[in-house]
Amino acid sequence: MVVRVPQLSPRHRRKRMEGNQHKLEANIALLGAESVGKSALTVRFLTRRFIGEYGDIESIYSHSDVIDGRETCFHIWDSVCPQEDNGAGHYINRQLQWADGFILVYSICDRASFNVVRQQVQRLRQASGKAGATPIIIVGNKRDLRHRRTVSSEEGRLLALSVDCGFFEISAAETYHGVLLVFHGLLDLIRETRALKKGTIGIKGIVRSVSAVFGKKRNE
Ligand code: GDP
Ligand code: MG
């Protein structure tokens, strides 16, 4: 695991890899209100562990794995307090420039965090404009605290459907599997979007991919 200070270095890594058809790289940014579990999700994915408390250092982590027989490198931007943006949109614009896909996290027992995701997804959709829809997965985290739930699964799923995003409800605290589904689901969407941009698949491919994300088992 490599930790770097976030900075807007363009896609130099991807360019460097252009000659190597077998390696896939994906820049993934996590957004959402404070304390919803963005760092917990990131650390779970990177180490398979839930360590309970996380600092609030903003970082980009790099992590390589072999997925479907292909070497895949994830660069994961774990955001801190994105709402400090003051409405100017600079933060989200920087992330839009950098990221191939987003994971927007809320806590199922924190309605305010659900509203933050609702606003952020709308801003992302508006900001990406003509560049085309950026792949996004909305995640309702802390499923283990369902006795304190204030956001129903249906609300989460409906929001995701209305803005054309994938959706999962998970518990980063309880299992690794749900977190893995989120990152792999987003990777599938990123691959389909790239293929569509290159013109190598049609709209049917995208529909297939979105269905795959929605159709995957959400209960770990
Ligand atoms: P961030 O500010 O969004 O990065 O949130 P953190 O990852 O730092 O998590 C905030 C708090 O929520 C920490 O105390 C975590 O242990 C806790 N937390 C994260 N995910 C879960 C979860 O799935 N279930 C429960 N019960 N707590 C969680
Ligand atoms: Mg954090």
Side-chain angles (χ1 to χ4, degrees):
M1 185 169 84
V2 181
V3 182
R4 286 184 285 107
V5 176
Q7 50 184 294
L8 256 200
S9 64
R11 298 163 193 246
H12 63 276
R13 283 179 306 277
R14 190 168 314 124
K15 284 215 168 89
R16 209 176 57 223
M17 297 312 301
E18 264 167 12
N20 181 353
Q21 291 302 311
H22 298 292
K23 184 161 178 176
L24 178 67
E25 301 215 27
N27 290 354
I28 293 177
L30 280 93
L31 277 173
E34 216 177 336
S35 295
V36 293
K38 297 181 294 299
S39 300
L41 249 87
T42 305
V43 171
R44 221 356 158 177
F45 179 64
L46 297 173
T47 69
R48 298 184 177 227
R49 299 206 174 134
F50 180 75
I51 56 175
E53 291 310 319
Y54 307 86
D56 48 5
I57 301 165
E58 182 160 56
S59 302
I60 294 179
Y61 302 89
S62 294
H63 173 72
S64 291
D65 206 349
V66 176
I67 299 172
D68 299 333
R70 188 170 179 192
E71 195 182 346
T72 305
C73 186
F74 293 89
H75 304 286
I76 303 167
W77 183 338
D78 178 19
S79 311
V80 175
C81 258
Q83 55 273 56
E84 276 174 15
D85 213 5
N86 294 331
H90 298 314
Y91 195 95
I92 271 185
N93 285 338
R94 276 179 68 210
Q95 288 197 319
L96 263 172
Q97 255 181 294
W98 179 86
D100 299 305
F102 287 84
I103 297 173
L104 300 193
V105 189
Y106 66 90
S107 158
I108 66 156
C109 27
D110 176 1
R111 178 153 287 276
S113 72
F114 183 63
N115 294 333
V116 168
V117 163
R118 193 193 294 281
Q119 285 160 12
Q120 285 176 331
V121 76
Q122 274 155 11
R123 283 170 67 186
L124 282 174
R125 285 289 181 243
Q126 280 160 12
S128 54
K130 284 183 191 158
T134 306
I136 299 173
I137 294 206
I138 294 177
V139 173
N141 188 36
K142 308 202 184 184
R143 199 164 187 276
D144 54 300
L145 302 179
R146 49 179 83 73
H147 51 287
R148 286 170 40 196
R149 180 193 282 279
T150 55
V151 184
S152 70
S153 308
E154 289 67 32
E155 281 179 280
R157 200 164 292 122
L158 271 178
L159 171 64
L161 266 174
S162 70
V163 285
D164 198 18
C165 299
F167 176 72
F168 291 90
E169 249 192 23
I170 63 163
S171 164
E174 271 187 350
T175 67
Y176 165 66
H177 183 64
V179 175
L180 191 70
L181 287 183
V182 169
F183 279 89
H184 284 195
L186 184 57
L187 185 69
D188 286 346
L189 291 180
I190 290 170
R191 289 166 72 174
E192 298 278 7
T193 303
R194 281 184 191 160
L196 190 76
K197 278 184 183 160
K198 276 196 210 154
T200 49
I201 60 162
I203 191 71
K204 279 186 190 157
I206 285 288
V207 171
R208 246 198 334 270
S209 169
V210 170
S211 319
V213 169
F214 275 104
K216 272 178 189 162
K217 196 170 171 234
R218 283 168 204 99
N219 308 345
E220 305 111 57

